Amino acid sequence: LPACGFLRHERSSKQLRPMSRTRHCPRGGWIVAAVVLSRCIYQEAALTKSSGVAFTGGASAHRSVLSPWISPSLVSGGTQLRAVQDAALNEEAMAARLKAAQEQIKIAQNNLAALKDELLDRNFLSEPINRAFVAEVFALFTPPGAAPMRPLLDKALNAILPDLTDPDALVAVVTALAIARLPHAPAWRSAGDATIRMCKASLIPKLELVEVAWAFATAGEKRPELFAAMKQALAPHLDSLPEDHRRLLGWACAEVGEHATELGEPPIVADKDATLKVYAALEDLARRMGEGQGA
């Protein structure tokens, strides 16, 4: 800028003072000055963007080429303004998530209240239990994101199961837990405790009890005392069980390592080599099905 005629260096006084425009600034000098100033602004913006240095009121990684005409505090003020705006947006997003979570909790509480009405205070005039609805209620708590709400389910089950005497209600709860694939151990333990109690009282019909055994096996609930109670309750009825229920019971007990030897010897005994071949074929089929789902 001194070359454009704005300032002149006096060697005698060692001071800078304004020069005469008519004497030292040629025609078009102001235009040249504007071009140079614009070039400086462009270089300053490019340097700031490439270096990533934020200006502050103190020392910075490089000195502004516009200093002192453009104060770094102006740039710092813009950065602070953007930070305030980002914080406001984050607060709005958090408020939206909080509102959504509150709505989900309200929906879960309403469904649990309806579940109690569906399962409790039943008599011979009551309508059949809507098992699909029971499974839908439990499915609300299945996703990993719903894990913080599961204590609400524990509270509801603890209010329903301990004094439950209706076998239809218990079968509906246990099978719905399996259909919903609820990965929540406390719920399965509460259902297992209620099943053991009702098996000892011989309250569950034989066919429904096979369904209960299937549900616990599907969930991988390996409780020897639970399956022992179910097999003991089924012992007087094993001969009268339909063939498909006998097979389902045998599968359920074997799935958790509690083989139902009470069912007697299998009608067909395969040799070891044939068993290993079938097992290898099933493993290969499961692997290929898994790869197909992943693709």
Side-chain angles (χ1 to χ4, degrees), residues 213-215 217-219 245-257 260 263:
W214 165 84
T218 301
H245 283 72
R246 289 172 61 87
R247 292 177 180 178
L248 183 59
L249 177 62
W251 172 86
C253 294
E255 187 71 9
V256 295
L263 295 175

Side-chain angles (χ1 to χ4, degrees), residues 246 260-269:
R246 289 172 61 87
T261 56
E262 298 84 356
L263 295 175
E265 293 295 328
I268 300 176
V269 179

Side-chain angles (χ1 to χ4, degrees), residues 12-229:
S12 59
S13 61
K14 303 297 183 180
Q15 296 178 351
L16 296 175
R17 67 181 184 180
M19 297 179 63
S20 171
R21 178 182 177 185
T22 58
R23 179 179 178 182
H24 297 280
C25 183
R27 182 180 301 273
W30 290 105
I31 298 177
V32 174
V35 172
V36 174
L37 181 59
S38 300
R39 181 63 178 173
C40 291
I41 294 174
Y42 175 81
Q43 291 177 349
E44 177 72 8
L47 181 60
T48 303
K49 182 177 181 181
S50 61
S51 62
V53 176
F55 286 99
T56 60
S60 61
H62 68 279
R63 187 174 180 181
S64 172
V65 298
L66 296 181
S67 180
W69 289 288
I70 295 181
S71 173
S73 61
L74 297 178
V75 183
S76 176
T79 303
Q80 294 175 359
L81 178 60
R82 287 194 298 271
V84 172
Q85 292 173 344
D86 293 342
L89 292 176
N90 290 335
E91 289 181 0
E92 292 178 0
M94 291 180 63
R97 288 195 294 267
L98 179 60
K99 183 178 180 180
Q102 291 173 343
E103 292 177 354
Q104 289 294 324
I105 291 174
K106 186 176 180 180
I107 292 173
Q109 290 174 333
N110 292 337
N111 279 276
L112 289 174
L115 179 66
K116 292 181 182 179
D117 295 338
E118 184 75 17
L119 298 177
L120 297 179
D121 299 328
R122 294 177 50 78
N123 54 51
F124 67 95
L125 296 176
S126 300
E127 295 289 333
I129 295 176
N130 187 347
R131 294 193 182 186
F133 167 72
V134 179
E136 289 175 0
V137 174
F138 292 149
L140 293 174
F141 303 89
T142 299
M149 296 194 304
R150 289 174 188 167
L152 297 175
L153 177 61
D154 295 337
K155 183 178 179 181
L157 291 178
N158 290 335
I160 295 173
L161 293 177
D163 299 325
L164 190 66
T165 57
D166 183 1
D168 292 337
L170 178 65
V171 174
V173 168
V174 177
T175 54
L177 286 173
I179 294 172
R181 298 185 178 276
L182 182 68
H184 189 50
W188 283 103
R189 179 160 292 276
S190 297
D193 293 341
T195 301
I196 293 174
R197 176 175 55 81
M198 294 184 71
C199 283
K200 291 180 178 180
S202 300
L203 294 176
I204 307 176
K206 58 182 181 181
L207 300 184
E208 284 77 2
L209 190 52
V210 174
E211 291 185 48
V212 172
W214 165 84
F216 282 112
T218 301
E221 190 72 5
K222 297 181 179 181
R223 293 181 60 182
E225 69 277 14
L226 171 61
F227 279 83

